[in-house]
C-alpha cells in the first residue's frame, strides 16, 4: 500500500495541470435581420506524463435573440496524446467523447460523438500556450428529441471551418 501511495504522490508532484479554453463571437445578418452568436468553452486538464494528458471541455453558447434564441450546452472529456515535440511546438491528438444539447423553443436535439481531434500547441512561455484544434475523425449521432424522430449518423473525416478552434491555456 505504501508503494502505491508513494507512486501516486510522485506522479502527482511531477504532473502539471492547465486551464484555459476558447471564446467565440460573431454577428450574422440574414434578409435584413442581424443577430449575435457567442460561445464560451472553458477547459481544464491534467498532464499525467510528458506525452499524455486528460481533460474536459464544457461549453455554452447562444444564437439569436428573444423568441428566436437557440441555446447549446456541451461537455467533452478527452485523453490527449502528444505525438511530436518540436522546440516550442507540440503536435497532439485528442481522443474523446462529446455530448451537445441544443434547445430552440420546444425543439430539442441531442448529439453524441466519439473520435479524434488533431491539434497544435505553441508554448509561448512556461505558463502560457496558444492551442488550436482542426478537424475531426470519428462517429457522430444526432437526433431530435421528438416522437418518431430519426437519427442522423455520421462517420468520417472533416476538415472544414466548423471544426477549427483557437484557445489559450495557463499551465500550472
Amino acid at each position: 500500500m505504501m508503494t502505491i501511495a508513494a507512486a501516486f504522490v510522485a506522479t502527482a508532484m511531477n504532473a502539471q495541470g492547465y486551464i484555459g479554453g476558447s471564446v467565440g463571437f460573431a454577428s450574422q445578418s440574414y434578409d435584413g435581420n442581424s443577430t449575435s452568436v457567442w460561445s464560451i468553452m472553458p477547459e481544464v486538464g491534467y498532464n499525467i506524463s510528458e506525452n499524455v494528458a486528460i481533460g474536459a471541455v464544457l461549453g455554452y453558447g447562444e444564437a439569436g435573440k428573444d423568441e428566436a434564441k437557440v441555446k447549446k450546452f456541451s461537455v467533452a472529456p478527452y485523453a490527449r496524446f502528444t505525438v511530436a515535440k518540436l522546440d516550442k511546438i507540440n503536435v497532439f491528438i485528442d481522443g474523446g467523447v462529446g455530448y451537445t444539447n441544443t434547445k430552440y423553443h420546444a425543439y430539442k436535439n441531442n448529439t453524441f460523438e466519439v473520435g479524434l481531434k488533431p491539434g497544435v500547441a505553441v508554448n509561448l512561455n512556461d505558463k502560457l500556450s496558444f492551442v488550436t484544434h482542426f478537424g475531426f475523425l470519428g462517429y457522430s449521432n444526432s437526433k431530435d428529441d421528438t416522437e418518431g424522430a430519426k437519427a442522423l449518423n455520421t462517420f468520417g473525416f472533416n476538415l472544414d471551418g466548423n471544426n477549427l478552434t483557437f484557445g489559450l491555456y495557463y499551465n500550472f
Side-chain angles (χ1 to χ4, degrees):
M1 291 297 276
M2 291 300 288
T3 304
I4 293 171
F8 179 77
V9 169
T11 301
M13 289 175 62
N14 291 329
Q16 185 179 33
Y18 54 91
I19 58 173
S22 60
V23 295
F25 179 80
S27 180
Q28 296 178 333
S29 179
Y30 176 75
D31 199 22
N33 296 317
S34 64
T35 186
S36 297
V37 178
W38 64 270
S39 66
I40 183 166
M41 299 178 63
E43 183 172 343
V44 62
Y46 188 78
N47 293 310
I48 295 172
S49 70
E50 188 176 334
N51 294 321
V52 178
I54 56 172
V57 178
L58 292 175
Y60 181 79
E62 293 184 358
K65 53 187 168 186
D66 302 326
E67 67 279 348
K69 190 175 287 187
V70 176
K71 298 179 182 180
K72 286 187 175 187
F73 169 77
S74 62
V75 60
Y78 62 86
R80 176 169 295 165
F81 303 95
T82 301
V83 295
K85 291 187 177 202
L86 312 164
D87 194 24
K88 294 189 176 274
I89 298 173
N90 296 340
V91 179
F92 61 85
I93 296 174
D94 286 352
V97 297
Y99 167 75
T100 301
N101 177 268
T102 304
K103 292 182 181 179
Y104 172 70
H105 293 292
Y107 169 80
K108 295 178 185 175
N109 178 278
N110 295 299
T111 302
F112 298 92
E113 68 180 20
V114 59
L116 303 172
K117 293 181 180 181
V120 174
V122 178
N123 301 312
L124 304 174
N125 58 40
D126 288 343
K127 296 294 182 186
L128 289 177
S129 299
F130 176 77
V131 178
T132 183
H133 290 89
F134 51 91
F136 177 75
L137 169 64
Y139 170 77
S140 173
N141 173 286
S142 182
K143 185 176 179 186
D144 292 344
D145 193 8
T146 58
E147 189 174 323
K150 304 239 187 247
L152 172 64
N153 296 295
T154 306
F155 179 78
F157 182 63
N158 196 345
L159 274 178
D160 68 17
N162 292 327
N163 288 311
L164 181 65
T165 62
F166 299 100
L168 192 63
Y169 290 8
Y170 176 76
N171 303 296
F172 55 91

